Structure formats: structure tokens, C-alpha cells
């Protein structure tokens, strides 16, 4: 079995693959100051809950945008799994996808993984929107080249800044969109602005990016708030929630056994 781990700024997503089948996956809070021993306790609990024998895990691949997590997870893999993980970086995937950034090393590992997974599945030009700590737009050519993208403050980060800086505005939970865009009270107005506003931003960015691409890309979304925003967006065609995990599996299958 293959253990895949994607460390984001807010959440860490973990998956177990048996061949090409995702058997189990978990989303946990990213802990920046834990130790390998503490991560092992957490992993034990997750594996035990699903009756997973870690002796059946023979391969590990990790992507991370949190530098402090690298030595922690590296130590966990070597000490408790007896395995050396494959770490994602632009150089490790350049044979699978040319990265046409001015400096390829600046592209986040998760963005590369998403791009590889999406192109492997759709084999066409794409715009991938990942609703994470930041909302990222990644643009892929018809030839499977990573062209670049855009980075926007994430929905929750922007919301938190609003609540902190506007002292009279109440903190609201963003679980569902109000029925109407024109709010009739403060809470409805905040929800409308955050949810419909982000959907409009997505549609505007997609429209402008599509004009620059001179093609008709497929528009995919992933990340925690992708299902909510996709219901309102006029451009998002499909939500692919396991995109990052699938990308890690694909990359390992292509380069991990070489």
C-alpha cells in the first residue's frame, strides 16, 4: 500500500492507496510544532480506527508547503515506518509536466500535484481552483504544460480579517449561501458578500484567464469550500476533492519506482 500525505498551511490530508484505489483518507489540522513521536501517536490512532496494519505500507510520498513539517515527517517515516519518503518538488515532476514559471522552484508542491492529477484525468487545457488557506488558480495548457496562475487570499483568511478589523461585525459561520444576494440583516449581508463575492471573483478570474489562453479550458475546483462555491459559480464545471491525493499517487507510480 501507498501512504500519501499533503501538508497544507491549515490542514494536512492523508490517504492510503491499495493500487489505484483510495481506501481511506483523513483531513487533520496542520500542527507546525509537533514531533515525530507525536505524529506517530496520531497516525496510530488513524490506522487503528480503519484496521490498517502499517506493515502493509511499503511506499510513502509527501508534498508540503510548510517547511517545519519536513523534518518531522521525515523522522516519522524513517523511525516508525522504516521507509524513506519521496518528497515532491518541481525538479521531481518536470518530466511529467513542464513548469513554465519564471522560477519553477516558487510553485507550491500542492499546486504541482493538483496539475499533474487533473491533466492525467482530462488530457486537455485546464484551470484548477483550489480553495485552501489561499485560493489558487493553476493554468494548464493543452500540451500538459504548467503555465502559471494566480494566488488570492483564501475565503476563511479574508473572512477572519474582516471580523478582526471591523469590530462591530459579528463572526459568522460559512456553511451555506443565503437564498438572496441582497442581505436583509448583517449576518445575511456578510454571508452574501463572502460567498457570492468569492464566486464572482472566481468567475471573473476564469473569464480573464480563458481570454489569455486562446482555448476553452475545463474548470475544476478542489479544497474544503469547493462544493459550496461551485454551487454558485457560473464557470466551475466539476469538483474534484481527491485531486491532490490522486496526484501524489500518479507521481509515485511514475517516478517513485524508478
Amino acid at each position: 500500500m501507498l501512504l500519501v500525505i499533503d501538508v497544507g498551511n491549515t490542514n494536512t490530508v492523508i490517504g492510503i492507496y491499495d493500487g489505484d484505489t483510495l481506501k481511506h483518507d483523513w483531513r487533520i489540522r496542520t500542527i507546525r510544532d509537533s514531533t515525530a513521536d507525536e505524529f506517530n501517536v496520531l497516525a496510530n490512532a488513524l490506522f487503528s480506527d480503519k484496521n490498517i496494519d502499517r506493515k502493509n505500507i511499503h511506499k510513502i510520498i509527501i508534498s508540503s508547503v510548510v517547511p517545519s513539517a519536513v523534518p518531522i515527517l521525515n523522522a516519522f517515516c524513517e523511525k516508525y515506518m522504516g521507509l524513506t519518503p519521496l518528497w515532491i518538488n518541481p525538479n521531481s515532476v518536470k518530466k511529467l509536466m513542464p513548469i513554465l514559471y519564471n522560477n519553477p522552484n516558487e510553485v507550491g508542491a500542492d499546486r504541482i500535484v493538483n496539475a499533474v492529477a487533473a491533466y492525467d484525468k482530462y488530457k486537455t487545457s485546464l484551470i484548477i481552483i483550489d480553495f485552501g488557506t489561499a485560493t489558487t488558480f493553476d493554468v494548464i495548457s493543452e500540451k500538459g504544460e504548467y503555465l502559471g496562475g494566480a494566488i488570492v487570499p483564501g475565503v476563511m483568511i479574508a473572512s477572519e480579517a474582516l471580523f478582526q478589523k471591523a469590530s462591530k461585525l459579528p463572526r459568522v459561520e460559512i456553511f451555506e449561501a443565503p437564498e438572496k444576494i441582497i442581505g436583509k440583516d448583517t449576518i445575511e449581508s456578510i454571508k452574501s458578500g463572502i460567498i457570492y463575492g468569492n464566486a464572482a471573483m472566481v468567475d471573473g478570474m476564469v473569464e480573464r484567464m480563458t481570454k489569455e489562453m486562446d482555448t476553452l479550458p475545463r474548470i475544476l475546483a478542489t479544497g474544503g469550500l469547493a462544493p459550496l462555491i461551485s454551487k454558485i459559480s457560473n464557470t466551475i464545471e466539476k469538483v474534484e476533492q481527491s485531486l491532490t491525493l490522486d496526484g501524489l499517487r500518479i507521481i509515485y507510480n511514475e517516478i517513485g519506482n524508478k
Side-chain angles (χ1 to χ4, degrees):
M1 291 193 294
L2 171 67
L3 171 63
V4 300
I5 303 174
D6 173 58
V7 184
N9 286 298
T10 303
N11 294 312
T12 295
V13 184
I14 303 169
I16 298 286
Y17 280 91
D18 188 356
D20 291 341
T21 303
L22 180 61
K23 304 295 290 185
H24 305 287
D25 63 283
W26 304 269
R27 181 180 293 268
I28 63 174
R29 182 170 55 88
T30 295
I31 302 174
R32 299 166 185 267
D33 58 352
S34 65
T35 66
D37 298 333
E38 290 169 329
F39 190 86
N40 181 59
V41 172
L42 174 59
N44 266 336
L46 298 177
F47 295 163
S48 297
D49 183 60
K50 300 298 183 180
N51 296 315
I52 296 171
D53 186 347
R54 68 172 62 201
K55 293 179 181 178
N56 293 325
I57 298 172
H58 302 293
K59 302 168 287 186
I60 305 174
I61 183 169
I62 306 174
S63 63
S64 175
V65 296
V66 180
S68 62
V70 174
I72 296 167
L73 290 177
N74 217 48
F76 160 75
C77 292
E78 294 181 351
K79 180 177 180 180
Y80 291 104
M81 303 297 295
L83 299 167
T84 299
L86 175 64
W87 288 90
I88 294 295
N89 60 66
N91 288 327
S92 67
V93 300
K94 61 184 179 182
K95 292 182 179 180
L96 300 179
M97 176 169 286
I99 300 173
L100 306 186
Y101 231 47
N102 291 335
N103 181 359
N105 290 321
E106 292 180 355
V107 185
D110 54 340
R111 300 176 71 185
I112 297 170
V113 172
N114 285 346
V116 168
Y119 189 76
D120 181 81
K121 183 171 184 178
Y122 292 97
K123 295 293 193 297
T124 189
S125 57
L126 298 149
I127 297 176
I128 308 158
I129 306 143
D130 188 348
F131 294 95
T133 306
T135 298
T136 58
F137 295 77
D138 297 302
V139 182
I140 315 303
S141 75
E142 289 182 309
K143 297 178 181 179
E145 303 158 317
Y146 183 88
L147 299 179
I151 303 173
V152 181
V155 177
M156 301 312 296
I157 280 185
S159 302
E160 188 63 28
L162 176 67
F163 302 144
Q164 288 183 4
K165 298 298 183 180
S167 57
K168 285 191 174 182
L169 294 182
R171 188 178 300 272
V172 300
E173 298 294 336
I174 310 300
F175 293 127
E176 60 182 6
E179 293 183 4
K180 296 183 178 181
I181 296 178
I182 301 174
K184 295 298 186 180
D185 58 42
T186 301
I187 290 178
E188 281 190 1
S189 297
I190 294 172
K191 287 184 177 181
S192 175
I194 291 172
I195 299 173
Y196 288 106
N198 274 277
M201 178 273 294
V202 165
D203 292 340
M205 289 292 290
V206 167
E207 179 183 355
R208 290 169 181 265
M209 286 180 165
T210 300
K211 287 180 180 178
E212 287 190 15
M213 294 175 72
D214 291 325
T215 184
L216 291 176
R218 293 209 64 171
I219 313 301
L220 309 180
T222 191
L225 288 176
L228 175 61
I229 303 298
S230 67
K231 292 178 182 178
I232 302 166
S233 166
N234 295 321
T235 56
I236 294 173
E237 299 175 53
K238 190 170 183 182
V239 174
E240 294 279 4
Q241 284 293 55
S242 62
L243 201 61
T244 309
L245 298 184
D246 285 342
L248 288 169
R249 171 187 59 80
I250 291 165
I251 292 169
Y252 193 94
N253 288 344
E254 291 293 330
I255 67 176
N257 295 315
K258 297 295 188 291

